[in-house]
Amino acid sequence: MRTIEEQLAELEEQGLGRRLRMVSGPQGARVLLDGKPVLLLCSNNYLGLADHPRVRAAAADAAMRWGVGAGASRLVSGTMTIHRRLEERLAAFHGSEGCVLFGSGYLANMGVIGALAGQGDTVFSDERNHASIIDGCRLSRAEVVVYRHCDVEHLRWLLDHHGARGWGRAGRAGDPGEGGGRLIVTDSMFSMDGDVAPLEEIVELANEFGARLVVDEAHAVGAFGSDGRGAVAQAGLTGEVDVVVGTLGKALASYGAYACADREMIRFLINTARSLIFSTAPPPPAVAGALAALELLQERPHRVRRLASNARVLRRALATEGFPVPEGESHIVALIVGEEHGAMSLCQEAIERGVFAQAIRPPAVPAGTARLRLTVMASHTAAELNRAAVVLANAARRVGLDPASIGPPLPPPSPSSVEQELVAMAGAEPEVRAFAALGAGPEGSMPFDLEREPERPLSRPFFFDEEAPQAVPVQQGQESPVAVFDLERETSVRAA
């Protein structure tokens, strides 16, 4: 067995070493990173609500009324009034009959998948699903079949050749089920690429093949769709998905997660989801903060529109600087460098020039696709985003990279010889078979996203790029570079 020192040295040699970066102060568009002022471009605080006065006040008030911790699991004495209140609001928000809170998104996916699939069942999972989905599939003891990213034809073929037609372990609503069923699991918006799953087609396949469907809306809730209700609602599929999983730790500015479904399904999860049964309930301050953030989202949906506008601004600015970034409104932008050391060098050079965009490397993304994952917030200004694109381009050239070579994710490969691939894998272990179908071993590309939590605006300048011009022209359709998003008054105002 290798020593810990040997394994750490190997990680460093491969460009996979990691360390914790220290952010001082609250979440915001600009923060102090290891004591250095930077623009934050890798936070999941998409709506800029983590530091909103109402959210902070709600959390503080909850701590005084209900205490800091819940003290027990949900099924013992940990369920409090504030938990039920948020569950009711989330159920109404998603147009579902019920909702149940979990301690985190990881716990939610592990609990939901483990409850709905077990030995004798088959789970079909997108190859770029979050690690919590992947681990939930593994721990369920079901056969795991991985389909190519967003490839509905590949999924159809696999559904036709794996598992028995039926509802699996959970049965239909109220029925116990006898195993042997199918479960499809997918992210709605993928955390590392920012693309959206073809949910309409997946719902059709689930209905056609008698499979249950779980959709994780972690990166879409509060950030996608005109009202922030996520990709399922945007596709007009409310009520068509068996379980919608969401998080409180991104656009809803807090910590925790939830599952929305019909009443019978929620009752079933409460009785069978091990990560719910055996975990302490979410702390009241976090629940109250998320409730306040949800109320702000519903009262003032212009933040969602602002987020989409900012995404367009950044994408156009990056394209102007030579990065091959397509236009769009996805608030997640992947600048794929490829090699791990190169991504780390670009990350560090950008930090030195005042922009923090974390380098994401395997196993968070497939080998050979190390990248800077840029995430926009509603609290960024157009001037900041235009400036950030200039800084990133100059940083790339400084470390010997051509911006034109730092591209977006490649489109999914078209299915080819799928039948031959699976026939060749006959007799392999279920999990090995699933990943081998994608050209990788069981320890291959198994994505998860690194949650780097950032902070609040500073009163002093934060860019130090001596090569960057002092003014960035505004392109047609962009907001003025001097537009400021006022968090207190919820309005765009002119800088004095």
Side-chain angles (χ1 to χ4, degrees):
M1 179 180 294
R2 291 180 301 166
T3 66
I4 296 296
E5 290 80 2
E6 289 172 339
Q7 295 180 63
L8 286 172
E10 182 179 344
L11 287 173
E12 292 294 338
E13 183 179 348
Q14 295 173 348
L16 300 177
R18 290 170 170 81
R19 67 182 180 87
L20 299 177
R21 296 183 183 274
M22 182 65 67
V23 173
S24 303
Q27 295 277 321
R30 288 167 285 175
V31 300
L32 282 175
L33 178 71
D34 296 329
K36 179 181 177 61
V38 294
L39 178 74
L40 187 63
L41 269 182
C42 54
S43 170
N44 293 331
N45 179 27
Y46 297 134
L47 297 181
L49 293 174
D51 190 37
H52 193 282
R54 274 176 58 178
V55 174
R56 290 192 294 173
D61 180 63
M64 298 303 295
R65 294 179 65 185
W66 288 289
V68 174
S73 67
R74 296 294 307 277
L75 292 181
V76 181
S77 62
T79 297
M80 299 179 172
T81 308
I82 191 68
H83 294 106
R84 182 60 53 82
R85 189 178 302 168
L86 179 56
E87 287 171 341
E88 291 172 350
R89 292 294 299 273
L90 286 168
F93 180 70
H94 283 285
S96 63
E97 294 180 350
C99 174
V100 61
L101 293 178
F102 287 80
S104 71
Y106 218 103
L107 292 174
N109 278 327
M110 291 178 66
V112 169
I113 296 169
L116 296 181
Q119 194 165 6
D121 296 327
T122 306
V123 182
F124 300 83
S125 175
D126 189 291
E127 68 170 312
R128 296 187 191 172
N129 275 340
H130 190 270
S132 57
I133 295 177
I134 294 169
D135 288 354
C137 292
R138 289 170 166 174
L139 293 174
S140 71
R141 300 184 181 179
E143 178 184 15
V144 182
V145 177
V146 180
Y147 61 92
R148 293 187 179 95
H149 180 51
C150 292
D151 190 334
V152 291
E153 291 305 316
H154 191 204
L155 174 57
R156 168 182 287 279
W157 196 95
L158 292 171
L159 282 164
D160 201 38
H161 289 77
H162 286 267
R165 189 177 297 270
W167 295 96
R169 187 174 171 187
R172 289 184 179 273
D175 296 334
E178 298 180 355
R182 300 183 178 96
L183 174 68
I184 302 171
V185 190
T186 183
D187 280 311
S188 63
M189 176 171 284
F190 293 87
S191 61
M192 289 296 118
D193 297 326
D195 54 344
V196 178
L199 295 177
E200 293 183 56
E201 293 92 335
I202 292 175
V203 166
E204 290 178 3
L205 287 177
N207 292 331
E208 178 182 347
F209 286 91
R212 287 202 179 276
L213 175 60
V214 174
V215 176
D216 184 353
E217 290 261 53
H219 292 270
V221 168
F224 190 78
S226 59
D227 54 5
R229 293 178 189 269
V232 171
Q234 181 73 1
L237 299 172
T238 299
E240 299 295 319
V241 175
D242 291 283
V243 182
V244 170
V245 175
T247 182
L248 309 177
K250 297 179 174 61
L252 295 183
S254 185
Y255 186 76
Y258 59 91
C260 284
D262 62 45
R263 291 187 184 89
E264 291 299 318
M265 178 64 79
I266 295 301
R267 183 182 173 191
F268 179 78
L269 293 175
I270 290 172
N271 280 273
T272 59
R274 292 173 61 83
S275 60
L276 172 74
I277 296 169
F278 298 106
S279 293
T280 299
V287 176
L291 181 58
L294 178 61
E295 290 172 349
L296 282 166
L297 167 61
Q298 293 182 284
E299 291 173 9
R300 304 166 186 182
H302 73 274
R303 281 181 177 266
V304 183
R305 297 191 292 271
R306 173 73 182 212
L307 180 64
S309 174
N310 278 352
R312 291 193 297 269
V313 169
L314 178 61
R315 287 172 176 273
R316 291 169 182 167
L318 288 168
T320 298
E321 294 303 317
F323 293 97
V325 174
E327 287 205 20
E329 295 186 355
S330 173
H331 50 282
I332 300 172
V333 183
L335 297 182
I336 297 181
V337 176
E339 192 267 332
E340 290 79 12
H341 290 286
M344 284 301 298
S345 297
L346 177 56
C347 170
Q348 190 58 44
E349 187 68 26
I351 289 174
E352 294 302 318
R353 294 162 179 264
V355 173
F356 179 31
Q358 183 62 272
I360 308 295
R361 296 155 290 159
V365 293
T369 67
R371 67 194 67 187
L372 266 59
R373 173 182 177 265
L374 313 182
T375 53
V376 180
M377 291 187 283
S379 48
H380 285 130
T381 67
E384 288 171 336
L385 296 173
N386 277 304
R387 186 76 169 174
V390 175
V391 169
L392 288 167
N394 287 337
R397 298 184 186 99
R398 179 64 67 90
V399 298
L401 296 172
D402 181 0
S405 69
I406 303 175
L410 295 175
S414 57
S416 60
S417 305
V418 175
E419 297 89 342
Q420 296 179 13
E421 293 172 0
L422 292 176
V423 169
M425 291 182 291
E429 292 297 321
E431 190 174 352
V432 175
R433 183 187 314 136
F435 283 101
L438 298 161
E443 301 302 323
S445 50
M446 303 173 188
F448 61 89
D449 59 0
L450 304 177
E451 312 297 7
R452 296 285 184 182
E453 258 88 34
E455 324 232 330
R456 173 184 187 79
L458 304 167
S459 59
R460 51 181 170 160
F462 54 94
F463 285 110
F464 299 98
D465 185 4
E466 71 285 352
E467 298 179 12
Q470 295 303 306
V472 180
V474 183
Q475 298 182 30
Q476 187 175 3
Q478 288 186 358
E479 301 174 47
S480 167
V482 296
V484 177
F485 194 58
D486 191 311
L487 293 180
E488 317 307 43
R489 291 182 293 168
E490 304 289 342
T491 180
S492 290
V493 299
R494 285 276 178 176

Coordinates of all heavy atoms in Angstrom, one line a residue, residues 34 47 52 306 374 416 430:
D34 N -7.6 34.9 -0.2 CA -6.2 34.8 0.4 C -5.6 36.2 0.6 O -4.5 36.5 0.4 CB -5.3 34.0 -0.5 CG -5.8 32.5 -0.6 OD1 -6.4 32.0 0.4 OD2 -5.5 31.9 -1.6
L47 N -28.0 34.3 -7.8 CA -28.8 35.5 -7.7 C -28.3 36.6 -6.8 O -28.9 37.6 -6.6 CB -30.3 35.1 -7.3 CG -31.0 34.2 -8.3 CD1 -32.4 33.9 -7.7 CD2 -31.1 34.8 -9.7
H52 N -28.0 39.1 1.1 CA -29.1 40.0 1.1 C -29.6 40.3 2.5 O -29.7 39.4 3.3 CB -30.3 39.5 0.2 CG -31.3 40.5 -0.1 ND1 -32.3 40.9 0.8 CD2 -31.6 41.2 -1.2 CE1 -33.1 41.8 0.3 NE2 -32.7 42.0 -0.9
R306 N -31.9 39.4 -14.9 CA -30.6 40.0 -14.8 C -29.5 39.0 -15.0 O -28.5 39.2 -15.7 CB -30.5 40.7 -13.5 CG -29.1 41.3 -13.2 CD -28.8 42.5 -14.0 NE -27.4 43.0 -13.8 CZ -27.1 44.3 -13.8 NH1 -27.9 45.2 -14.1 NH2 -25.8 44.6 -13.6
L374 N -16.6 29.2 -15.5 CA -17.1 30.6 -15.1 C -18.5 30.5 -14.8 O -19.3 29.9 -15.5 CB -16.8 31.5 -16.3 CG -15.5 31.5 -17.0 CD1 -15.4 32.6 -18.1 CD2 -14.3 31.7 -16.0
S416 N -22.7 5.2 -32.2 CA -22.1 4.3 -33.2 C -21.8 3.0 -32.6 O -21.1 2.9 -31.6 CB -20.9 5.0 -33.8 OG -19.9 5.2 -32.8
P430 N -21.9 -5.1 -13.6 CA -22.8 -4.1 -14.0 C -22.2 -2.7 -14.1 O -22.4 -2.0 -15.1 CB -23.9 -4.2 -13.0 CG -23.8 -5.6 -12.5 CD -22.4 -6.0 -12.5

